[in-house]
Amino acid sequence: MVQASAPGKCILFGEHAVVYGQPAVAVAIDQRMNVNLELNSDWRIDGMTFQPERHPHVEALKQRLWDGGPPLSIKITGDIPPASGLGSSAALSVAASAALRCSRGRQLKDDDWAEGYTAARPNNVYDGPWDVEKGDTVEYGAEAVDVDECAILTHAVEAYAQGGRASPMDSSTCAHGGCIVLSDKVEEGLNWLYSRKLNDVSWEVHSVDLSKTDDVWLVIGSTGIHAPTSEQVAKVASLLDTNPAKMTEIETIGIVARRGISALLKGDMESVGRAMSENHLLLRSLGVSCPELESLISAAAPTSLGVKLTGAGGGGCMIALTRDPKTTSEAIELAGGRTLISKLGAAGMTVDSDQGAPLWDPHE
Ligand code: MEV
């Protein structure tokens, strides 16, 4: 059995403004998705017949990594609530790409080209069969898995499932873990990882060292309201159209996010919290909060360093940065929210078992 897992994510700073090129910051959370693969006589997902239209992310990965391979039984478990802005589909896709790559191995050419992914081709995933030549080597099991490839594949399948639009925020955070900053330019003082491009948009992806952020937790409060991201993004776009002065809010979110990043680097969590609350006021002024979010935010504020909505808004989740997660969580629950508690910056993708790999050896 092959098993891999990946964390969910939440956005600390910069949602919506990132659509206009401002920096955004996300952290990986303790809640994860696990994917388990076993050979089977037919395609199954959680014991049921696999229906591609019900699992577009898995189907897109199957086409890229398992074309012509034997049928699998796929088991998906995890504690990230779906459709809540916490990256459940990206975490699932990262874990599934790791498990599939682990299950088929990877061929390496002696001139530094690798099947499926190479740094020389950052925007492409090669998915055709390779001819094994003299000098080629093949890696099997966990060794064949590459975190960048999982991030690239996940970005590609998220774009496929979302009709061509997806930023690499979720895919990079769920693959690499820790804390990820996206911007339209390379940000000084951060660890630049790579550029990502989709259609005409490009992003610079960085990681941030969170080693100085001990003793604080995130309490995530869900309103239980499902508000599609596309609607909230369209709402902000039409607001900016009718009221161009609101671009000041977008630019100020960028300034606040940069202040939040330098506070994170210093481990100054009081300032991180203040910046989060300020970010929320700006989001509210863009019209993406709602009474239910405001009520959870007011309930959490007295015991928190900072509070804000996270993700697209209009429903979905809020987050509270706190040193007293139990009390903050109780306050949110009393106000009608469902809570999850997490540290900041969980570990990224892991291969938890590669027993029996490869399950399919296309190189033979
Ligand atoms: C949604 O999680 C984040 C938004 O900024 C949309 C996006 O970045 O694509 C609202």
Side-chain angles (χ1 to χ4, degrees), residues 27-289:
V27 288
I29 55 176
D30 294 341
Q31 290 68 29
R32 300 180 79 83
M33 297 299 281
N34 310 293
V35 171
N36 227 296
L37 302 180
E38 271 177 310
L39 286 173
N40 201 44
S41 52
D42 59 347
W43 280 97
R44 296 259 150 183
I45 196 155
D46 293 330
M48 320 265 272
T49 301
F50 175 67
Q51 291 174 286
E53 63 285 0
R54 293 194 59 189
H55 300 278
H57 294 81
V58 177
E59 171 59 17
L61 287 168
K62 183 172 164 263
Q63 287 172 17
R64 284 170 169 82
L65 287 173
W66 208 257
D67 196 20
L72 296 170
S73 165
I74 305 169
K75 288 208 178 67
I76 300 168
T77 54
D79 51 1
I80 309 173
S84 56
L86 300 177
S88 65
S89 60
L92 163 68
S93 304
V94 167
S97 29
L100 286 167
R101 172 57 72 195
C102 178
S103 297
R104 69 168 282 173
R106 178 199 305 278
Q107 185 182 339
L108 303 171
K109 294 224 174 263
D110 57 1
D111 63 356
D112 201 25
W113 284 83
E115 176 203 19
Y117 166 76
T118 143
R121 251 191 210 180
N123 299 313
N124 290 310
V125 174
Y126 179 80
D127 54 8
W130 275 42
D131 293 326
V132 180
E133 286 167 20
K134 212 163 165 254
D136 291 353
T137 51
V138 182
E139 286 178 333
Y140 292 112
E143 225 176 275
V145 179
D146 179 281
V147 68
D148 274 7
E149 183 193 30
C150 294
I152 287 182
L153 279 167
T154 296
H155 188 203
V157 302
E158 289 237 290
Y160 166 85
Q162 293 169 25
R165 274 211 241 162
S167 86
M169 184 54 119
D170 288 21
S171 50
S172 297
T173 311
C174 298
H176 293 273
C179 178
I180 294 289
V181 172
L182 230 66
S183 181
D184 65 346
K185 59 172 194 277
V186 174
E187 297 283 335
E188 252 176 67
L190 302 184
N191 176 29
W192 178 81
L193 295 175
Y194 41 68
S195 306
R196 283 281 189 272
K197 196 167 188 297
L198 185 68
N199 305 324
D200 288 339
V201 192
S202 58
W203 298 269
E204 303 300 334
V205 182
H206 316 69
S207 66
V208 177
D209 175 19
L210 287 185
S211 57
K212 294 190 184 152
T213 61
D214 272 0
D215 272 356
V216 287
W217 283 262
L218 283 176
V219 180
I220 302 159
S222 170
T223 60
I225 300 169
H226 178 51
T229 299
S230 54
E231 280 176 21
Q232 300 305 309
V233 171
K235 191 172 168 183
V236 173
S238 86
L239 176 74
L240 292 170
D241 221 28
T242 51
N243 188 354
K246 287 278 175 188
M247 197 44 104
T248 311
E249 267 83 342
I250 298 284
E251 284 156 10
T252 312
I253 289 176
I255 295 169
V256 170
R258 288 200 171 86
R259 194 161 3 105
I261 294 165
S262 45
L264 274 171
L265 287 169
K266 285 188 222 137
D268 175 358
M269 300 317 283
E270 276 71 19
S271 301
V272 173
R274 270 196 302 277
M276 285 169 62
S277 298
E278 230 178 292
N279 191 156
H280 179 71
L281 297 180
L282 293 157
L283 287 165
R284 192 203 275 168
S285 154
L286 288 174
V288 292
S289 190

